[in-house]
Every structure is written in structure tokens, then in C-alpha cells.
Short mmCIF file of all heavy atoms in Angstrom, two decimals:
data_model
loop_
_atom_site.label_atom_id
_atom_site.label_comp_id
_atom_site.label_asym_id
_atom_site.label_seq_id
_atom_site.Cartn_x
_atom_site.Cartn_y
_atom_site.Cartn_z
N LYS A 1228 109.50 99.96 89.41
CA LYS A 1228 108.37 99.03 89.37
C LYS A 1228 107.55 99.19 88.08
O LYS A 1228 106.46 98.63 87.96
CB LYS A 1228 107.47 99.24 90.59
CG LYS A 1228 108.15 98.86 91.90
CD LYS A 1228 107.22 99.01 93.08
CE LYS A 1228 107.86 98.58 94.36
NZ LYS A 1228 108.27 97.19 94.40
N ASN A 1229 108.09 99.98 87.13
CA ASN A 1229 107.42 100.21 85.84
C ASN A 1229 106.01 100.76 85.97
O ASN A 1229 105.11 100.38 85.22
CB ASN A 1229 107.40 98.92 85.00
CG ASN A 1229 108.80 98.46 84.66
OD1 ASN A 1229 109.63 99.26 84.21
ND2 ASN A 1229 109.08 97.19 84.89
N MET A 1230 105.81 101.65 86.92
CA MET A 1230 104.50 102.27 87.11
C MET A 1230 104.25 103.28 86.00
O MET A 1230 105.18 103.91 85.50
CB MET A 1230 104.42 102.96 88.48
CG MET A 1230 104.60 102.03 89.66
SD MET A 1230 103.27 100.82 89.72
CE MET A 1230 103.71 99.90 91.17
N LYS A 1231 102.97 103.47 85.69
CA LYS A 1231 102.60 104.43 84.65
C LYS A 1231 102.34 105.82 85.22
O LYS A 1231 102.43 106.81 84.51
CB LYS A 1231 101.38 103.93 83.88
CG LYS A 1231 101.71 102.69 83.06
CD LYS A 1231 100.63 102.41 82.05
CE LYS A 1231 101.13 101.33 81.12
NZ LYS A 1231 100.36 100.11 81.18
N PHE A 1232 101.99 105.88 86.51
CA PHE A 1232 101.80 107.19 87.12
C PHE A 1232 101.95 107.15 88.64
O PHE A 1232 101.82 106.10 89.26
CB PHE A 1232 100.46 107.82 86.73
CG PHE A 1232 99.22 107.11 87.20
CD1 PHE A 1232 98.58 107.50 88.37
CD2 PHE A 1232 98.67 106.06 86.48
CE1 PHE A 1232 97.42 106.87 88.80
CE2 PHE A 1232 97.51 105.42 86.90
CZ PHE A 1232 96.90 105.82 88.06
N LEU A 1233 102.27 108.32 89.17
CA LEU A 1233 102.32 108.58 90.62
C LEU A 1233 101.07 109.38 90.95
O LEU A 1233 100.64 110.22 90.15
CB LEU A 1233 103.53 109.44 90.96
CG LEU A 1233 104.88 108.80 91.11
CD1 LEU A 1233 105.95 109.89 91.17
CD2 LEU A 1233 104.95 107.97 92.36
N TRP A 1234 100.53 109.18 92.13
CA TRP A 1234 99.40 110.00 92.55
C TRP A 1234 99.46 110.23 94.06
O TRP A 1234 100.19 109.56 94.78
CB TRP A 1234 98.06 109.37 92.15
CG TRP A 1234 97.68 108.18 92.95
CD1 TRP A 1234 98.04 106.88 92.72
CD2 TRP A 1234 96.84 108.16 94.11
NE1 TRP A 1234 97.50 106.06 93.68
CE2 TRP A 1234 96.75 106.81 94.53
CE3 TRP A 1234 96.17 109.14 94.84
CZ2 TRP A 1234 96.01 106.43 95.65
CZ3 TRP A 1234 95.43 108.77 95.95
CH2 TRP A 1234 95.35 107.42 96.34
N LEU A 1235 98.70 111.22 94.52
CA LEU A 1235 98.66 111.57 95.93
C LEU A 1235 97.45 112.44 96.21
O LEU A 1235 96.82 112.95 95.29
CB LEU A 1235 99.95 112.32 96.32
CG LEU A 1235 100.28 113.56 95.48
CD1 LEU A 1235 99.72 114.81 96.11
CD2 LEU A 1235 101.76 113.68 95.29
N GLY A 1236 97.17 112.59 97.49
CA GLY A 1236 96.16 113.53 97.94
C GLY A 1236 96.85 114.59 98.78
O GLY A 1236 97.72 114.28 99.58
N VAL A 1237 96.48 115.85 98.58
CA VAL A 1237 97.08 116.96 99.34
C VAL A 1237 95.95 117.90 99.78
O VAL A 1237 95.05 118.22 99.00
CB VAL A 1237 98.17 117.69 98.52
CG1 VAL A 1237 97.63 118.28 97.23
CG2 VAL A 1237 98.87 118.76 99.34
N TRP A 1238 96.00 118.31 101.04
CA TRP A 1238 94.96 119.18 101.59
C TRP A 1238 94.85 120.45 100.78
O TRP A 1238 95.86 121.10 100.48
CB TRP A 1238 95.27 119.49 103.05
CG TRP A 1238 94.18 120.17 103.82
CD1 TRP A 1238 92.84 120.11 103.60
CD2 TRP A 1238 94.35 121.03 104.94
NE1 TRP A 1238 92.16 120.86 104.52
CE2 TRP A 1238 93.07 121.45 105.36
CE3 TRP A 1238 95.46 121.48 105.65
CZ2 TRP A 1238 92.86 122.29 106.45
CZ3 TRP A 1238 95.26 122.32 106.73
CH2 TRP A 1238 93.96 122.72 107.12
N GLU A 1239 93.63 120.83 100.42
CA GLU A 1239 93.41 122.01 99.58
C GLU A 1239 93.89 123.30 100.27
O GLU A 1239 94.14 124.29 99.58
CB GLU A 1239 91.93 122.13 99.20
CG GLU A 1239 91.02 122.42 100.38
CD GLU A 1239 89.55 122.51 100.01
OE1 GLU A 1239 89.22 122.50 98.80
OE2 GLU A 1239 88.73 122.59 100.94
N LYS A 1240 94.07 123.27 101.59
CA LYS A 1240 94.55 124.45 102.32
C LYS A 1240 96.04 124.36 102.62
O LYS A 1240 96.53 124.98 103.57
CB LYS A 1240 93.75 124.62 103.61
CG LYS A 1240 92.29 124.95 103.36
CD LYS A 1240 91.53 125.12 104.65
CE LYS A 1240 90.07 125.42 104.37
NZ LYS A 1240 89.29 125.50 105.60
N ASN A 1241 96.78 123.61 101.80
CA ASN A 1241 98.22 123.47 101.97
C ASN A 1241 98.92 123.95 100.69
O ASN A 1241 99.43 123.16 99.91
CB ASN A 1241 98.57 122.01 102.28
CG ASN A 1241 100.03 121.83 102.67
OD1 ASN A 1241 100.84 122.74 102.56
ND2 ASN A 1241 100.36 120.63 103.10
N PRO A 1242 98.94 125.28 100.49
CA PRO A 1242 99.49 125.81 99.23
C PRO A 1242 100.97 125.47 99.02
O PRO A 1242 101.40 125.29 97.89
CB PRO A 1242 99.26 127.32 99.32
CG PRO A 1242 99.09 127.59 100.78
CD PRO A 1242 98.48 126.35 101.38
N ARG A 1243 101.72 125.38 100.09
CA ARG A 1243 103.15 125.05 99.97
C ARG A 1243 103.33 123.67 99.31
O ARG A 1243 104.13 123.50 98.40
CB ARG A 1243 103.81 125.09 101.35
CG ARG A 1243 105.27 124.75 101.35
CD ARG A 1243 105.81 124.69 102.80
NE ARG A 1243 107.22 124.45 102.79
CZ ARG A 1243 108.15 125.37 102.84
NH1 ARG A 1243 107.81 126.64 102.91
NH2 ARG A 1243 109.42 125.07 102.81
N ALA A 1244 102.58 122.68 99.80
CA ALA A 1244 102.67 121.33 99.23
C ALA A 1244 102.12 121.29 97.81
O ALA A 1244 102.70 120.64 96.93
CB ALA A 1244 101.93 120.33 100.12
N ILE A 1245 101.03 121.99 97.57
CA ILE A 1245 100.46 122.01 96.21
C ILE A 1245 101.48 122.58 95.23
O ILE A 1245 101.70 122.01 94.15
CB ILE A 1245 99.14 122.82 96.18
CG1 ILE A 1245 98.07 122.08 97.01
CG2 ILE A 1245 98.67 123.05 94.75
CD1 ILE A 1245 96.83 122.91 97.31
N ARG A 1246 102.13 123.68 95.59
CA ARG A 1246 103.17 124.27 94.71
C ARG A 1246 104.32 123.29 94.50
O ARG A 1246 104.85 123.18 93.39
CB ARG A 1246 103.71 125.57 95.31
CG ARG A 1246 102.82 126.78 95.08
CD ARG A 1246 103.51 128.09 95.43
NE ARG A 1246 104.12 128.12 96.76
CZ ARG A 1246 103.47 128.44 97.87
NH1 ARG A 1246 102.20 128.76 97.83
NH2 ARG A 1246 104.11 128.45 99.03
N PHE A 1247 104.73 122.58 95.56
CA PHE A 1247 105.81 121.60 95.45
C PHE A 1247 105.47 120.54 94.40
O PHE A 1247 106.28 120.23 93.52
CB PHE A 1247 106.04 120.95 96.82
CG PHE A 1247 107.03 119.80 96.81
CD1 PHE A 1247 108.39 120.05 96.87
CD2 PHE A 1247 106.59 118.49 96.74
CE1 PHE A 1247 109.30 118.99 96.86
CE2 PHE A 1247 107.49 117.43 96.72
CZ PHE A 1247 108.85 117.69 96.79
N TYR A 1248 104.27 120.00 94.48
CA TYR A 1248 103.88 118.95 93.54
C TYR A 1248 103.68 119.50 92.13
O TYR A 1248 104.07 118.86 91.15
CB TYR A 1248 102.66 118.18 94.04
CG TYR A 1248 102.99 117.37 95.27
CD1 TYR A 1248 102.40 117.63 96.50
CD2 TYR A 1248 103.93 116.35 95.21
CE1 TYR A 1248 102.74 116.90 97.63
CE2 TYR A 1248 104.28 115.61 96.33
CZ TYR A 1248 103.67 115.89 97.53
OH TYR A 1248 104.01 115.17 98.64
N GLU A 1249 103.10 120.68 92.02
CA GLU A 1249 102.95 121.28 90.69
C GLU A 1249 104.32 121.54 90.05
O GLU A 1249 104.51 121.29 88.85
CB GLU A 1249 102.15 122.59 90.78
CG GLU A 1249 100.68 122.37 91.03
CD GLU A 1249 99.90 123.64 91.25
OE1 GLU A 1249 100.49 124.70 91.56
OE2 GLU A 1249 98.66 123.58 91.12
N LYS A 1250 105.26 122.01 90.84
CA LYS A 1250 106.62 122.24 90.35
C LYS A 1250 107.24 120.95 89.82
O LYS A 1250 108.05 120.96 88.90
CB LYS A 1250 107.47 122.84 91.47
CG LYS A 1250 108.90 123.18 91.08
CD LYS A 1250 109.69 123.69 92.28
CE LYS A 1250 110.12 122.48 93.07
NZ LYS A 1250 111.00 122.70 94.18
N ASN A 1251 106.83 119.83 90.40
CA ASN A 1251 107.35 118.52 89.98
C ASN A 1251 106.48 117.85 88.90
O ASN A 1251 106.67 116.67 88.61
CB ASN A 1251 107.50 117.60 91.19
CG ASN A 1251 108.76 117.93 91.98
OD1 ASN A 1251 109.86 117.68 91.51
ND2 ASN A 1251 108.60 118.52 93.16
N GLY A 1252 105.56 118.62 88.33
CA GLY A 1252 104.81 118.14 87.18
C GLY A 1252 103.46 117.51 87.47
O GLY A 1252 102.77 117.05 86.55
N PHE A 1253 103.03 117.49 88.72
CA PHE A 1253 101.74 116.91 89.07
C PHE A 1253 100.61 117.85 88.65
O PHE A 1253 100.77 119.08 88.69
CB PHE A 1253 101.64 116.67 90.58
CG PHE A 1253 102.38 115.46 91.06
CD1 PHE A 1253 103.76 115.48 91.21
CD2 PHE A 1253 101.70 114.29 91.37
CE1 PHE A 1253 104.45 114.37 91.67
CE2 PHE A 1253 102.38 113.16 91.82
CZ PHE A 1253 103.76 113.21 91.96
N VAL A 1254 99.47 117.27 88.28
CA VAL A 1254 98.28 118.04 87.96
C VAL A 1254 97.11 117.49 88.79
O VAL A 1254 97.04 116.30 89.07
CB VAL A 1254 97.93 117.99 86.45
CG1 VAL A 1254 99.00 118.69 85.63
CG2 VAL A 1254 97.72 116.57 85.97
N THR A 1255 96.20 118.38 89.14
CA THR A 1255 95.01 117.99 89.89
C THR A 1255 94.04 117.28 88.94
O THR A 1255 93.81 117.76 87.84
CB THR A 1255 94.34 119.23 90.51
OG1 THR A 1255 95.29 119.87 91.38
CG2 THR A 1255 93.10 118.86 91.30
N PHE A 1256 93.50 116.15 89.40
CA PHE A 1256 92.55 115.43 88.55
C PHE A 1256 91.24 115.12 89.26
O PHE A 1256 90.27 114.70 88.62
CB PHE A 1256 93.18 114.13 87.99
CG PHE A 1256 93.41 113.05 89.01
CD1 PHE A 1256 92.48 112.04 89.22
CD2 PHE A 1256 94.57 113.04 89.78
CE1 PHE A 1256 92.70 111.05 90.15
CE2 PHE A 1256 94.81 112.04 90.71
CZ PHE A 1256 93.86 111.04 90.90
N ASP A 1257 91.18 115.32 90.57
CA ASP A 1257 89.94 115.02 91.30
C ASP A 1257 90.09 115.56 92.72
O ASP A 1257 91.10 116.18 93.07
CB ASP A 1257 89.72 113.50 91.34
CG ASP A 1257 88.25 113.12 91.53
OD1 ASP A 1257 87.41 114.01 91.82
OD2 ASP A 1257 87.94 111.93 91.40
N LYS A 1258 89.08 115.31 93.54
CA LYS A 1258 89.10 115.66 94.97
C LYS A 1258 88.57 114.46 95.74
O LYS A 1258 87.86 113.62 95.20
CB LYS A 1258 88.19 116.86 95.25
CG LYS A 1258 88.64 118.14 94.62
CD LYS A 1258 87.69 119.27 94.96
CE LYS A 1258 88.18 120.57 94.33
NZ LYS A 1258 87.34 121.70 94.68
N HIS A 1259 88.95 114.38 97.02
CA HIS A 1259 88.36 113.39 97.91
C HIS A 1259 88.31 113.97 99.31
O HIS A 1259 88.93 114.98 99.60
CB HIS A 1259 89.10 112.05 97.85
CG HIS A 1259 90.48 112.06 98.45
ND1 HIS A 1259 91.23 110.93 98.58
CD2 HIS A 1259 91.25 113.06 98.97
CE1 HIS A 1259 92.39 111.22 99.14
NE2 HIS A 1259 92.42 112.49 99.37
N THR A 1260 87.53 113.33 100.17
CA THR A 1260 87.42 113.81 101.54
C THR A 1260 88.45 113.11 102.41
O THR A 1260 88.85 111.97 102.16
CB THR A 1260 86.01 113.58 102.11
OG1 THR A 1260 85.69 112.20 101.99
CG2 THR A 1260 84.98 114.42 101.37
N PHE A 1261 88.87 113.83 103.42
CA PHE A 1261 89.86 113.35 104.38
C PHE A 1261 89.32 113.70 105.76
O PHE A 1261 89.00 114.85 106.03
CB PHE A 1261 91.20 114.06 104.13
CG PHE A 1261 92.28 113.69 105.10
CD1 PHE A 1261 93.04 112.53 104.92
CD2 PHE A 1261 92.57 114.50 106.20
CE1 PHE A 1261 94.05 112.19 105.81
CE2 PHE A 1261 93.57 114.17 107.10
CZ PHE A 1261 94.32 113.01 106.90
N LEU A 1262 89.19 112.71 106.63
CA LEU A 1262 88.65 112.93 107.95
C LEU A 1262 89.78 113.17 108.94
O LEU A 1262 90.60 112.28 109.19
CB LEU A 1262 87.80 111.74 108.39
CG LEU A 1262 87.02 111.92 109.69
CD1 LEU A 1262 86.02 113.08 109.56
CD2 LEU A 1262 86.28 110.63 110.04
N LEU A 1263 89.83 114.38 109.48
CA LEU A 1263 90.81 114.74 110.51
C LEU A 1263 90.04 114.85 111.82
O LEU A 1263 89.37 115.86 112.06
CB LEU A 1263 91.52 116.05 110.17
CG LEU A 1263 92.59 116.44 111.19
CD1 LEU A 1263 93.87 115.66 110.92
CD2 LEU A 1263 92.87 117.92 111.16
N GLY A 1264 90.10 113.80 112.63
CA GLY A 1264 89.28 113.78 113.84
C GLY A 1264 87.82 113.73 113.43
O GLY A 1264 87.38 112.79 112.79
N SER A 1265 87.09 114.81 113.74
CA SER A 1265 85.68 114.90 113.33
C SER A 1265 85.48 115.90 112.20
O SER A 1265 84.36 116.14 111.77
CB SER A 1265 84.81 115.30 114.53
OG SER A 1265 85.19 116.59 114.98
N ASP A 1266 86.57 116.47 111.70
CA ASP A 1266 86.51 117.51 110.66
C ASP A 1266 86.69 116.89 109.27
O ASP A 1266 87.75 116.35 108.95
CB ASP A 1266 87.61 118.55 110.92
CG ASP A 1266 87.54 119.73 109.98
OD1 ASP A 1266 86.48 119.95 109.34
OD2 ASP A 1266 88.55 120.45 109.87
N MET A 1267 85.64 116.98 108.45
CA MET A 1267 85.70 116.48 107.09
C MET A 1267 86.38 117.55 106.22
O MET A 1267 85.86 118.65 106.09
CB MET A 1267 84.29 116.19 106.57
CG MET A 1267 84.26 115.41 105.29
SD MET A 1267 84.89 113.73 105.45
CE MET A 1267 83.59 112.95 106.36
N GLN A 1268 87.53 117.21 105.67
CA GLN A 1268 88.31 118.15 104.86
C GLN A 1268 88.38 117.66 103.42
O GLN A 1268 88.08 116.50 103.13
CB GLN A 1268 89.71 118.31 105.44
CG GLN A 1268 89.70 118.83 106.86
CD GLN A 1268 91.09 119.05 107.44
OE1 GLN A 1268 92.09 118.62 106.90
NE2 GLN A 1268 91.13 119.72 108.57
#
């Protein structure tokens, strides 16, 4: 689709996923909140 970048959000307490994405060249550029039930993460 000729995209210029891929992006995603990953829970800060999910080191396995963070390592997976870092290994694939992703870098952290910001943070956002994610509502899990009543828990703001």
C-alpha cells in the first residue's frame, strides 16, 4: 500500500512484545492510555 511507516501501541508492562517489536526495528515515539475495564493503563 506504499505506506511510509508502521505503528502500534504495546502495553508498557509487556516486555516480551516490546522486545519483539524492537528486534524488528520499531522505536518508541510516544505513549497513550488504554482502558482495560476500569483500569487506565
Side-chain angles (χ1 to χ4, degrees):
K1228 293 183 178 299
N1229 297 313
M1230 298 297 181
K1231 292 194 170 117
F1232 65 96
L1233 279 168
W1234 73 274
L1235 55 93
V1237 60
W1238 190 28
E1239 67 181 352
K1240 294 180 181 176
N1241 189 351
R1243 179 185 184 95
I1245 294 167
R1246 280 192 309 274
F1247 173 83
Y1248 292 116
E1249 287 175 341
K1250 182 183 80 173
N1251 281 290
F1253 283 77
V1254 294
T1255 301
F1256 70 95
D1257 204 350
K1258 294 180 179 183
H1259 70 174
T1260 55
F1261 177 83
L1262 188 61
L1263 182 80
S1265 63
D1266 186 18
M1267 192 66 72
Q1268 300 182 348

